[in-house]
Amino acid sequence: MISLEDARSLVLGQVEPLGIEEAPILDMIGRVAAEDLTSDINISPFANSAMDGFAMRAAQLEGASPDAPVELDVIAEVPAGAWYGGEIGEGQCVRIMTGAPLPEAADSVVKYEIVDVVLGDGRVGSRVAFTAPTALGSCVRAAGEEAKAGEVIVHAGEVVHSAGVGFLAGCGVTRCKTYRRPRVAIIATGSELVEPTEVPSQGKIRNSNSYALAACAIDAGAEPTVLPISPDDFEGLRAEVVAAAAEYDFVVTSGGAANGDYDFIKKVVDDAGELLMTTVNMRPGKAQTFGVVDGTPVFGLPGNPAAAYLGFEMIIRPALRKMQGYSHFERPHVEARLAASTKKKDPRRIFNRATLSKDGEGYLVTLAKNQSSGLFGPIQKSNCFVVLPEGEARVFEEGELVDCVLLDIPEEVLL
Ligand code: AMP
Ligand code: MG
């Protein structure tokens, strides 16, 4: 039995970033850029006004005060998209809108709200008064403020977020090289399983794992395919795993991973490829099988839903992320006070479904009543797992600080 950290390293060691493809920027949300991206022009291409107001040289307003306002004639108007290339004389200014190019003859903008119109309506032909000086460059956004032409704006390895999609669009980048999404085969094994569309007959249950695991795969950026249920039969499972290993980037099975009479995944991996791992020091989910078949990673998760889910989230997800070029593999953790005491009965590292909340003293965590490894429901209703470390069985007291891992929050986030 190996530690969770060793299991993760072992699996990470068997995968590499996949091939590179080009994606339109809207398909880049949350994905890793596989190349340095540059802007073709300065962003913004020209100095422009940050406010609706009046443009002039700051020196024209020197000494302005409520008692001795500086009055200027409005000689032109520059809306966004227009251009004013003329002179601005000593007693003159230009009406300007947000985003409009700053005239070359001006160096500053004063917003409307603090300018008094003394003659006319404030538009061309009017006279306006300034009751205070303005700082050189006030309300002006410099040319190239966000990016210079030719400058790298997103580096290879960087995750592109929604704002980044806009940044790229502004810089003229509409397509981006990224790592291909891993194609993940998902195989449920068990002679008791029927599809969710069926009402199970006596002794049968619905295959819920494949759908949770496909959902986890999508959440990890992968492209899952739910393959047909494989009954508990060595030859049948072997054939399905071998065929999947030939076609997909990663094969995930659930069920039949322990030592029962009808548990075949370890034997299948050992027989068809190389078996590298069988058990991990965690609960739920000790029986975690991993190996390589035909060069493809094959992971045999346990059948119990919570155990399968945890194995996927803790060990498979980091591997699928590495295949897509991500460099963070650790979900955010926080320390929280236990809302009630709990007995740890097993020396393994225990993951308990729980709900984290915040009060005046910090984080408080309440364990779900039902910790059965056979259930998805309590995970759906929880927002974290409490991690009770390896070691002697003991009581964790109310108020004791415990580590909580937040499985719904991206790895990059620091809490
Ligand atoms: P196993 O690991 O095959 O011994 O299965 C452990 C438990 O998980 C049994 O109660 C199985 O019926 C259940 N189980 C196995 N596969 C699935 C699945 N795909 N969906 C839901 N439950 C499952
Ligand atoms: Mg089974």
Side-chain angles (χ1 to χ4, degrees):
M1 191 151 69
I2 63 174
S3 69
L4 183 54
E5 287 71 24
D6 287 348
R8 191 179 284 183
S9 306
L10 172 73
V11 178
L12 282 172
Q14 294 296 323
V15 299
E16 288 302 331
L18 294 174
I20 287 171
E21 65 183 18
E22 208 180 71
I25 49 174
L26 270 182
D27 286 349
M28 283 300 296
I29 305 160
R31 295 176 82 181
V32 177
E35 60 177 337
D36 285 346
L37 297 162
T38 52
S39 182
D40 59 344
I41 55 170
N42 284 340
I43 303 297
S44 157
F46 47 82
N48 63 92
S49 181
M51 294 294 231
D52 295 326
F54 297 92
M56 79 299 294
R57 292 175 299 285
Q60 291 171 260
L61 303 187
E62 249 174 49
S65 72
D67 294 334
V70 171
E71 293 190 4
L72 302 178
D73 293 323
V74 182
I75 57 153
E77 200 170 271
V78 210
W83 188 267
Y84 175 76
E87 297 293 317
I88 300 177
E90 267 316 302
Q92 299 176 332
C93 66
V94 166
R95 188 177 170 94
I96 192 165
M97 311 293 134
T98 305
L102 185 74
E104 261 177 38
D107 58 24
S108 307
V109 171
V110 177
K111 60 181 177 183
Y112 280 165
E113 290 83 346
I114 56 171
V115 178
D116 299 324
V117 176
V118 291
L119 195 80
D121 58 2
R123 306 193 68 156
V124 178
S126 302
R127 174 163 267 257
V128 290
F130 300 81
T131 54
T134 197
L136 181 65
S138 56
C139 296
V140 173
R141 301 188 286 215
E145 182 185 37
E146 191 169 28
K148 305 271 186 295
E151 187 186 341
V152 175
I153 47 161
V154 167
H155 288 86
E158 203 174 318
V159 178
V160 177
H161 302 293
S162 324
V165 170
F167 188 25
L168 291 173
C171 291
V173 178
T174 57
R175 299 181 70 78
C176 177
K177 288 202 170 71
T178 185
Y179 300 97
R180 189 164 69 66
R181 295 184 185 279
R183 286 171 292 118
V184 179
I186 298 188
I187 303 169
T189 76
S191 296
E192 74 278 33
L193 302 175
V194 300
E195 283 305 334
T197 46
E198 286 179 45
V199 176
S201 57
Q202 205 166 38
K204 308 285 184 190
I205 60 165
R206 289 190 175 119
N207 166 24
S208 50
N209 284 356
S210 289
Y211 297 88
L213 300 173
C216 289
I218 292 170
D219 200 49
E223 276 172 5
T225 302
V226 174
L227 293 175
I229 294 163
S230 175
D232 290 315
D233 158 57
F234 173 79
E235 288 303 334
L237 181 59
R238 188 187 190 286
E240 193 169 353
V241 167
V242 167
E247 194 179 333
Y248 294 88
D249 301 310
F250 203 109
V251 179
V252 176
T253 69
S254 73
N259 299 315
D261 298 345
Y262 297 92
D263 291 342
F264 295 118
I265 190 63
K266 284 188 280 199
K267 266 185 250 167
V268 162
V269 175
D270 195 30
D271 189 66
E274 193 185 354
L275 181 63
L276 298 170
M277 176 179 97
T278 57
T279 44
V280 177
N281 192 354
M282 62 192 271
R283 178 180 171 172
K286 182 174 87 171
Q288 308 277 351
T289 295
F290 178 68
V292 176
V293 173
D294 194 15
T296 302
V298 175
F299 203 109
L301 291 163
N304 274 310
Y309 173 83
L310 211 56
F312 193 108
E313 283 295 302
M314 292 289 160
I315 313 173
I316 297 176
R317 180 179 164 100
L320 296 180
R321 285 175 61 85
K322 183 178 174 187
M323 293 164 96
Q324 295 166 85
Y326 292 96
S327 45
H328 293 88
F329 304 119
E330 205 50 59
R331 292 279 202 177
H333 285 236
V334 295
E335 276 207 321
R337 292 159 13 248
L338 273 175
S341 70
T342 181
K343 186 153 196 254
K344 177 175 182 280
K345 303 181 194 111
D346 188 307
R348 278 181 281 163
R349 189 182 307 182
I350 311 281
F351 289 85
N352 279 321
R353 279 61 86 198
T355 300
L356 199 59
S357 57
K358 215 169 183 181
D359 63 13
E361 288 171 57
Y363 288 111
L364 184 72
V365 69
T366 308
L367 299 190
K369 279 201 188 70
N370 192 334
Q371 295 290 340
S372 162
S373 65
L375 309 176
F376 277 126
I379 308 179
Q380 158 69 20
K381 306 293 179 197
S382 299
N383 62 11
C384 75
F385 278 81
V386 166
V387 189
L388 302 177
E390 283 98 331
E392 288 300 285
R394 73 168 176 99
V395 173
F396 285 73
E397 302 293 348
E398 177 185 336
E400 192 169 339
L401 286 178
V402 289
D403 185 30
C404 305
V405 54
L406 290 100
L407 293 187
D408 286 335
I409 300 191
E411 282 80 348
E412 295 85 10
V413 176
L414 284 177
L415 291 180

